[in-house]
């Protein structure tokens, strides 16, 4: 198993030994997003696993909250020594499960020291606002209404890999269902108009632009450069 | 002049549309979502998922039938939990009519309406088997198109 600066993962035999791993990917690369998916329905597990794989995630899918805790080393019985370098970037769980609900699992994860920072997303077939609120209050990152679609999972991916997450945490959380049903609410902002450095007239931007090499068509800054980001945020300047 | 491939593709298109919500309503847009997850690496993804779904149907309907068979001692919450599971998986594959029946079925369980439950169980059984036959026809058409050297048209439900 590749060990990379503190990152490790369970061997396949270990996972099968504790009764999980029927849907589990080949060994992890440390830079790949690893998602733990929890759902008691086999059909849903297959679908969510495929949705995640197709968006380039590594997936471990388990069928209960208990198995999830086992996998994370948070169950009481086992010593967590062998698990404490497990890399999990996101946990996505069904709400309604026999035994331990997704909400209870969420609470246990948020109570743990090792995994409380891992974003937890709840999925539910029922659009109950009190349920959604409860989960968000308990620290869930997002709430997806089933059936889960590719667009939902792609959206999850964006906030996993973005550098700046602080602003999102402070934003008021809009329940997922509202944004899907309302024609007004858009999950992603409209694409900005194509930026043109020559059209910028604001003095603050001019200062930045003048300190960079003279602009031409072929030398327009790459998308994630600070200058481009500033232009995109001020499309109205001309 | 219509080639064999063109004829098959037209049949496939028409058949798919007949299953959509605007027509017989066997399937909804979630089925199209599943098709998005199919590619060269997973060419049979949809067939595999629906096959698992039908196995699920059989198992859950069996559970419900057994629970309803306990004359005088029916555990409606047990029936209800199986219905809930069936509703969930039918929703995930886009089985619109099965899902709709589950809504009614759940109401019968909640109100402990025995006759209602028995009727719903019969309907759900007929419904999933109909869908299974329809999808089998659809997959056969796909195979015929491919065997005739054609591409399967993209038809969104």
């Amino acid at each position: 198993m590749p060990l990379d600066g503190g990152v490790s993962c369970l061997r396949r035999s270990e996972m099968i030994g504790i009764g999980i791993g029927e849907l589990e990917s080949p060994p992890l690369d440390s830079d790949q997003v690893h998602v733990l998916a929890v759902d008691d329905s086999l059909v849903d597990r297959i679908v969510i696993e495929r949705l995640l794989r197709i968006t380039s995630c590594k997936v471990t899918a388990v069928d209960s909250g208990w198995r999830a805790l086992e996998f994370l080393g948070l169950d009481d019985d086992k010593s967590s020594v062998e698990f404490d370098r497990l890399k999990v970037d996101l946990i996505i769980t069904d709400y309604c499960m026999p035994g331990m609900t997704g909400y209870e699992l969420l609470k246990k994860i948020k109570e743990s020291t090792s995994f409380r920072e891992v974003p937890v997303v709840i999925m539910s077939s029922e659009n109950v606002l009190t349920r959604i609120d409860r989960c968000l209050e308990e620290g869930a990152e997002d709430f997806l209404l089933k059936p889960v679609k590719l667009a939902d999972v792609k959206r999850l991916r964006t906030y996993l890999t973005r550098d700046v997450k602080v602003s999102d945490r402070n934003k008021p959380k809009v329940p997922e269902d509202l944004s899907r049903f309302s024609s007004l609410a858009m999950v992603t902002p409209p694409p900005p108009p194509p930026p043109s450095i020559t059209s910028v007239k604001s003095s603050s931007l001019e200062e930045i632009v003048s300190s960079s090499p003279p602009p031409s068509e072929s030398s327009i800054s790459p998308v994630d450069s600070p200058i481009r980001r500033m232009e995109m945020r001020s499309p109205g300047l001309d | 002049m219509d080639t064999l491939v063109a004829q098959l593709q037209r049949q496939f298109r028409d058949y798919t549309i007949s299953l959509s919500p605007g027509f017989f309503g066997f399937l909804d847009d979630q089925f199209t979502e599943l098709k998005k997850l199919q590619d060269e690496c997973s060419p049979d993804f949809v067939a595999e998922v629906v096959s698992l779904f039908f196995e699920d149907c059989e198992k859950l309907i069996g559970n419900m039938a057994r629970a309803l068979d306990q004359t005088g001692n029916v555990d409606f919450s047990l029936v209800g939990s199986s219905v809930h599971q069936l509703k969930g998986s039918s929703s995930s594959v886009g089985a619109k009519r099965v899902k709709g029946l589950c809504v009614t079925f759940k109401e019968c369980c909640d109100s402990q309406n025995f006759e209602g439950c028995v009727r719903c169980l019969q309907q759900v059984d007929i419904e999933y088997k109909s869908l299974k036959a329809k999808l089998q026809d659809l997959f056969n058409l796909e195979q015929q198109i491919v065997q005739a050297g054609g591409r399967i048209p993209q038809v969104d439900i």
Side-chain angles (χ1 to χ4, degrees), chain A residues 65-104:
Chain A
W66 291 114
R67 294 247 202 259
L69 293 178
E70 234 180 351
F71 180 77
L72 296 169
L74 296 177
D75 57 327
D76 302 315
D77 314 271
K78 297 193 160 69
S79 116
S80 58
V81 171
E82 64 214 272
F83 294 85
D84 62 9
R85 289 184 298 167
L86 187 61
K87 175 182 174 285
V88 173
D89 299 295
L90 172 71
I91 297 166
I92 182 164
T93 175
D94 191 22
Y95 183 93
C96 256
M97 294 188 291
M100 182 188 296
T101 65
Y103 176 74
E104 287 158 355

Side-chain angles (χ1 to χ4, degrees), chain A residues 42-44 46-47 50-51 54 96 126 147-150, chain B residues 29-30 33 36-37 39 42 45 52-53 84 91-93:
Chain A
L42 176 60
V43 168
D44 287 359
I46 301 268
V47 173
R50 181 85 188 126
L51 281 166
I54 226 174
C96 256
E126 276 144 337
V148 180
K149 299 179 191 297
L150 193 54
Chain B
D29 64 314
Q30 183 63 15
E33 287 292 318
K36 287 181 189 170
L37 306 180
D39 58 20
S42 278
F45 177 72
L52 282 172
F53 167 66
H84 176 85
S91 164
S92 297
V93 304

